[in-house]
Amino acid sequence: MNLTLKRRHLLAGTAMAMGAMASGRLYAQEITEVERDLPEYVAFKQPDALIIHSNNTIETRRDAFGSALVTPEDKLYVRNNVNPPPASILDDRDSWEVSIEGVGAPGSLTLGELKQMGIESVTMVLQCSGNGRAYFDHETSGTQWQVGAAGNVMWTGVPLRTVVEMLGGADGAARFVTGTGGEEFPEGAEVRDVIVERSVPIEALDTILLAWELNGEPISLAHGGPLRMIVPGYTGVNNVKYVKRIALTEAESDAAIQQSRYRLNPVGEESGPEWPSVWEMNVKSWINQPLADRAAGPVVITGVAFGGINAVEKVEVSLDGGQSWQEAVFVGPDLGQYAWRTFAMPTELTPGQYTIVSRATDSQGNAQPEVPEANDAGYNHNGWRGPAVEIVVS
Amino acid sequence: MNLTLKRRHLLAGTAMAMGAMASGRLYAQEITEVERDLPEYVAFKQPDALIIHSNNTIETRRDAFGSALVTPEDKLYVRNNVNPPPASILDDRDSWEVSIEGVGAPGSLTLGELKQMGIESVTMVLQCSGNGRAYFDHETSGTQWQVGAAGNVMWTGVPLRTVVEMLGGADGAARFVTGTGGEEFPEGAEVRDVIVERSVPIEALDTILLAWELNGEPISLAHGGPLRMIVPGYTGVNNVKYVKRIALTEAESDAAIQQSRYRLNPVGEESGPEWPSVWEMNVKSWINQPLADRAAGPVVITGVAFGGINAVEKVEVSLDGGQSWQEAVFVGPDLGQYAWRTFAMPTELTPGQYTIVSRATDSQGNAQPEVPEANDAGYNHNGWRGPAVEIVVS
């Protein structure tokens, strides 16, 4: 299908959206405005900062990112594969139990015990595997995320490596770290079809945290409290919420979410374990301001850039849709390899039409493509053309 | 006066506090618990995380710091010298005006204009000049802050240096940067006696921000929004809230807050401009956990350390009141020279009495003293003995 049809599909006929289409402009504020109330478990969030796709899929509005180095939790996107467990699991956080398997001395640990084993903190981009799906040209059935299914957040917890060593070390045959979420299912449910259980390569054991704090506060239910498995540099789904079991395993989980979902099968091919899993994130960036038509004059163009599994090295900005590029500067402290960096380029805009885009390069020399290779479900979009900002300066 | 009397003065006779005294223990949770409601302008804060000394003096509870690298705004201390202006000054943030004087082309700029001139972000310890006053032995009349009149926060704004250069550069004779707050006073008030107008040395021009964002959100009224002058490494009072005028001046402000307050006169001497002003912060640290008696077993001792005007280089922990020391490790990313670092020391506590203290050293080799030299009003306390945690492990 062509781009026009794809856009029509997205727009779903709201007057505002049709206006945006007529003017030929496409950016976050204009295409998926949905009037809906925030569900109870995320009632603490700022409704004005969010696009509510559904109860379990809520995106940060592009104009709400501002120039924040760290994304406040009340603006952070929400994506749950299934409904969260009851809020009562937070009543006594320290008694939450997680079983650790595939180690010399397997057993259960409470969160209270984990807190006395060690502490580390990582700032990282938390990003839904499907962020940017709206920018793929082919038809996809998942949530049509634009840029806002991502945020830069600080997690604090104990390194899984520390816990594993205190329990006698990893099983020598282990090739994966498998985390199981604590969601609850009605009797009779086909649990392996719905359970949130993800496996990541054993190499991630060096960076995984069992985290109890997000941005300096106990983790909310919406974001996986009381305990979440954090895998820096990996897409959101791999960061298992309400984690109740960690196993170092020889094989990947047999759950559907691992075997037949979150796979990078080509467009039209059926998903399955023979295709690569959605794991590491790739290099990416986008502009957050300006987003709207404006008067001529000085402007500070800002956005965010990150390298995913690698550090981000540089970011360039183009005002003419990619014909010419200028390097932007990073703002504030470097929060580490897995974090995003806010970038800025002060300039002067004269009257005219602009197509503002950004292109990041990571520490391994990988640059964002103009348009990424497609995959059937629309994961890992990192093209620089998709989130272009088209504005008129008068 | 002796320490016992000083403590009695602090404790003001609550049963809980007297109990703490009787057991010989002194730490945040036990000595200044005051039952009071949060005033309206800080109603968004977490009451359980705070000690309310008065409407304009509110301290973070020591057990509320947790292991946060950045202090959430809803736990951050509040200290206003006078009542804040009406909340209506936030109705249209971008129209807030600040006049810039002592430059080639003086004039007024709106916040909307400042936002298009440049952007930078600094993470820094915001700390009241009087933080730790409760630990001085002599009698002082100001708020008896313990450790909690401090937080580590991220500010975003435009470098003042950028603004000054765009306005023709600094007056060659300028020796100070003087900021004036936008508080309002009733007719007939002796404005020079009450106005919040502070001068800092011109060298600070290289780091000052005119900031509109705190931790990624527009600055609240409680913390100086819509615009605050941020002077990294300087105590709280120098970071002028609701800033409406910045002047590069040859002399310090003639306001009382500059001339006769916030001066480091010795105990018993009258304050005045002949004594050093309270400007740069010094090296400091304290323990945040554990704070209470506990059972024997593993524990991760944590706290925060910062260098003030310098970066912090290392921090040591003692379990025996300073007889022996071990170096702790820093947790998470280094947020820059002016930020604090969370530190940790995992250990195993056997039954007994412990006096847990920490001692930081900055990049210039300055270490915290056991007890700092006193000054009359009780500013800049940075001794390691004062905030000692005395616990029994059984």
Side-chain angles (χ1 to χ4, degrees):
Chain A
M1 73 186 300
N2 66 28
L3 183 61
T4 307
L5 279 174
K6 165 73 171 180
R7 284 188 182 175
R8 192 176 306 276
H9 171 73
L10 271 181
L11 296 168
T14 71
M16 189 177 170
M18 296 306 282
M21 213 176 88
S23 77
R25 287 172 226 155
L26 175 70
Y27 47 87
Q29 285 61 54
E30 296 189 349
I31 66 175
T32 60
E33 207 63 47
V34 177
E35 294 282 346
R36 207 182 296 220
D37 288 334
L38 281 170
E40 177 62 25
Y41 77 109
V42 291
F44 67 95
K45 299 215 174 226
Q46 292 188 30
D48 292 350
L50 300 165
I51 301 168
I52 304 170
H53 295 288
S54 78
N55 272 11
N56 286 330
T57 47
I58 299 171
E59 170 166 7
T60 306
R61 286 172 63 106
R62 192 167 178 176
D63 63 0
F65 281 116
S67 44
L69 271 61
V70 170
T71 309
E73 193 187 354
D74 60 6
K75 294 181 182 175
L76 183 63
Y77 84 99
V78 175
R79 194 318 184 213
N80 283 323
N81 267 280
V82 294
N83 289 332
S88 58
I89 66 167
L90 302 184
D91 287 349
D92 180 8
R93 290 172 179 266
D94 282 356
S95 70
W96 180 262
E97 284 188 39
V98 58
S99 75
I100 311 286
E101 304 172 18
V103 292
S108 260
L109 293 166
T110 64
L111 174 48
E113 289 169 325
L114 290 173
K115 286 179 178 172
Q116 304 312 333
M117 294 174 81
I119 191 166
E120 192 45 272
S121 182
V122 65
T123 305
M124 63 168 235
V125 175
L126 182 72
Q127 178 179 229
C128 181
S129 311
N131 195 33
R133 180 178 287 130
Y135 304 124
F136 280 110
D137 282 347
H138 66 290
E139 182 130 23
T140 47
S141 61
T143 303
Q144 297 299 307
W145 305 107
Q146 301 165 63
V147 296
N152 196 41
V153 289
M154 298 181 135
W155 300 101
T156 301
V158 60
L160 179 57
R161 171 69 81 188
T162 301
V163 176
V164 165
E165 279 165 10
M166 290 172 99
L167 296 182
D171 181 332
R175 295 175 50 233
F176 299 95
V177 178
T178 298
T180 310
E183 288 89 348
E184 298 172 8
F185 302 103
E187 216 174 322
E190 293 291 343
V191 172
R192 303 316 291 173
D193 288 352
V194 289
I195 196 167
V196 180
E197 183 172 275
R198 289 285 299 176
S199 300
V200 297
I202 190 79
E203 292 70 34
L205 182 56
D206 288 334
T207 56
I208 290 174
L209 288 190
L210 297 181
W212 52 81
E213 220 176 71
L214 190 172
N215 290 355
E217 305 271 19
I219 305 176
S220 64
L221 190 72
H223 296 296
L227 189 68
R228 186 164 183 178
M229 181 172 96
I230 295 300
V231 193
Y234 282 62
T235 63
V237 71
N238 299 290
N239 295 265
V240 176
K241 296 170 178 168
Y242 333 108
V243 65
K244 66 175 184 187
R245 173 179 171 265
I246 302 271
L248 307 189
T249 53
E250 209 174 328
E252 293 184 50
S253 166
D254 64 0
I257 201 171
Q258 182 77 21
Q259 293 290 321
S260 61
R261 294 164 60 201
Y262 295 94
R263 293 283 170 177
L264 295 170
N265 41 305
V267 177
E269 296 270 5
E270 196 166 345
S271 181
E274 67 273 29
W275 302 109
S277 199
V278 178
W279 280 331
E280 297 102 327
M281 291 188 287
N282 49 25
V283 61
K284 189 163 176 177
S285 71
W286 61 82
I287 299 291
N288 280 326
Q289 52 187 349
L291 295 174
D293 293 349
R294 56 190 294 118
V299 60
V300 180
I301 295 171
T302 65
V304 295
F306 52 99
I309 194 71
N310 301 312
V312 63
E313 179 92 6
K314 70 166 180 177
V315 62
E316 300 155 291
V317 170
S318 172
L319 304 177
D320 53 16
Q323 293 174 59
S324 63
W325 298 90
Q326 287 174 265
E327 197 164 334
V329 296
F330 290 124
V331 172
D334 181 351
L335 302 178
Q337 172 175 352
Y338 304 108
W340 76 28
R341 300 210 62 174
T342 295
F343 64 82
M345 193 183 82
T347 189
E348 180 101 17
L349 293 181
T350 53
Q353 292 209 353
Y354 293 85
T355 299
I356 310 178
V357 290
S358 62
R359 181 177 65 183
T361 303
D362 74 12
S363 60
Q364 305 304 305
N366 303 303
Q368 287 181 256
E370 179 170 358
V371 175
E373 204 178 330
N375 59 83
D376 198 62
Y379 296 124
N380 289 355
H381 189 286
N382 75 332
W384 57 255
R385 170 70 61 183
V389 174
E390 297 179 39
I391 62 169
V392 173
V393 172
S394 53
Chain B
M1 72 186 301
N2 66 28
L3 182 60
T4 307
L5 278 174
K6 165 73 172 181
R7 284 189 182 174
R8 191 177 306 278
H9 170 73
L10 272 180
L11 296 169
T14 71
M16 186 178 174
M18 296 306 281
M21 211 173 90
S23 76
R25 288 174 226 152
L26 175 70
Y27 47 86
Q29 287 60 55
E30 297 188 350
I31 67 174
T32 61
E33 208 61 48
V34 177
E35 294 282 345
R36 206 183 296 220
D37 288 335
L38 281 169
E40 177 61 26
Y41 78 108
V42 291
F44 66 96
K45 299 214 174 226
Q46 291 188 30
D48 292 350
L50 301 165
I51 301 167
I52 305 170
H53 295 287
S54 78
N55 272 10
N56 286 330
T57 48
I58 300 171
E59 171 165 8
T60 307
R61 287 172 62 105
R62 193 166 176 177
D63 63 0
F65 280 116
S67 43
L69 272 61
V70 170
T71 309
E73 192 186 355
D74 60 6
K75 294 180 181 175
L76 183 63
Y77 85 99
V78 175
R79 192 324 184 210
N80 283 323
N81 266 280
V82 295
N83 288 331
S88 59
I89 66 167
L90 302 183
D91 288 348
D92 180 7
R93 290 171 179 266
D94 281 356
S95 70
W96 179 263
E97 285 190 37
V98 57
S99 75
I100 311 286
E101 304 171 18
V103 292
S108 261
L109 292 166
T110 65
L111 174 49
E113 289 169 323
L114 289 174
K115 286 179 178 173
Q116 303 312 332
M117 295 172 82
I119 191 167
E120 192 45 271
S121 183
V122 66
T123 305
M124 64 169 234
V125 176
L126 182 71
Q127 178 180 231
C128 181
S129 311
N131 195 34
R133 179 178 286 132
Y135 304 124
F136 279 110
D137 282 346
H138 65 290
E139 182 129 27
T140 47
S141 60
T143 303
Q144 297 299 306
W145 305 108
Q146 299 164 65
V147 296
N152 196 40
V153 288
M154 299 182 132
W155 300 102
T156 300
V158 59
L160 179 57
R161 170 70 80 189
T162 301
V163 176
V164 165
E165 280 165 10
M166 289 173 100
L167 295 182
D171 181 331
R175 294 175 50 233
F176 298 94
V177 178
T178 297
T180 309
E183 288 90 348
E184 297 172 7
F185 302 103
E187 216 175 322
E190 294 290 343
V191 173
R192 303 314 290 172
D193 288 352
V194 288
I195 196 167
V196 180
E197 184 173 275
R198 288 286 298 175
S199 301
V200 296
I202 191 78
E203 291 70 35
L205 181 56
D206 287 334
T207 56
I208 290 174
L209 288 190
L210 297 180
W212 52 81
E213 220 175 71
L214 188 172
N215 290 355
E217 306 270 19
I219 304 175
S220 64
L221 191 72
H223 297 296
L227 189 68
R228 186 164 183 178
M229 181 172 95
I230 295 300
V231 192
Y234 282 62
T235 63
V237 69
N238 299 291
N239 295 266
V240 175
K241 295 170 178 168
Y242 334 108
V243 64
K244 67 176 185 186
R245 173 178 172 267
I246 302 270
L248 308 188
T249 53
E250 209 173 328
E252 293 183 50
S253 167
D254 64 359
I257 200 171
Q258 183 76 22
Q259 292 290 319
S260 59
R261 294 163 59 202
Y262 294 95
R263 293 283 171 175
L264 296 170
N265 41 305
V267 177
E269 296 269 5
E270 196 167 346
S271 180
E274 67 274 29
W275 302 109
S277 199
V278 177
W279 280 330
E280 296 102 328
M281 291 187 286
N282 49 25
V283 61
K284 189 164 176 176
S285 71
W286 63 82
I287 299 292
N288 281 326
Q289 52 187 348
L291 296 174
D293 293 350
R294 57 191 292 118
V299 59
V300 181
I301 294 171
T302 64
V304 295
F306 52 100
I309 194 71
N310 302 311
V312 63
E313 179 92 6
K314 71 166 178 175
V315 61
E316 300 154 292
V317 170
S318 172
L319 304 176
D320 54 15
Q323 293 173 60
S324 63
W325 298 90
Q326 287 175 264
E327 197 164 334
V329 297
F330 291 123
V331 172
D334 181 351
L335 302 178
Q337 172 176 353
Y338 304 108
W340 75 29
R341 299 209 65 172
T342 295
F343 63 82
M345 193 183 82
T347 189
E348 180 100 17
L349 294 182
T350 53
Q353 292 210 352
Y354 293 84
T355 299
I356 311 177
V357 290
S358 62
R359 180 177 65 183
T361 303
D362 74 13
S363 60
Q364 305 303 303
N366 303 302
Q368 287 181 258
E370 180 171 357
V371 176
E373 203 178 330
N375 59 81
D376 198 62
Y379 296 124
N380 288 356
H381 188 285
N382 76 330
W384 58 256
R385 170 69 62 183
V389 174
E390 297 178 38
I391 62 169
V392 173
V393 172
S394 52

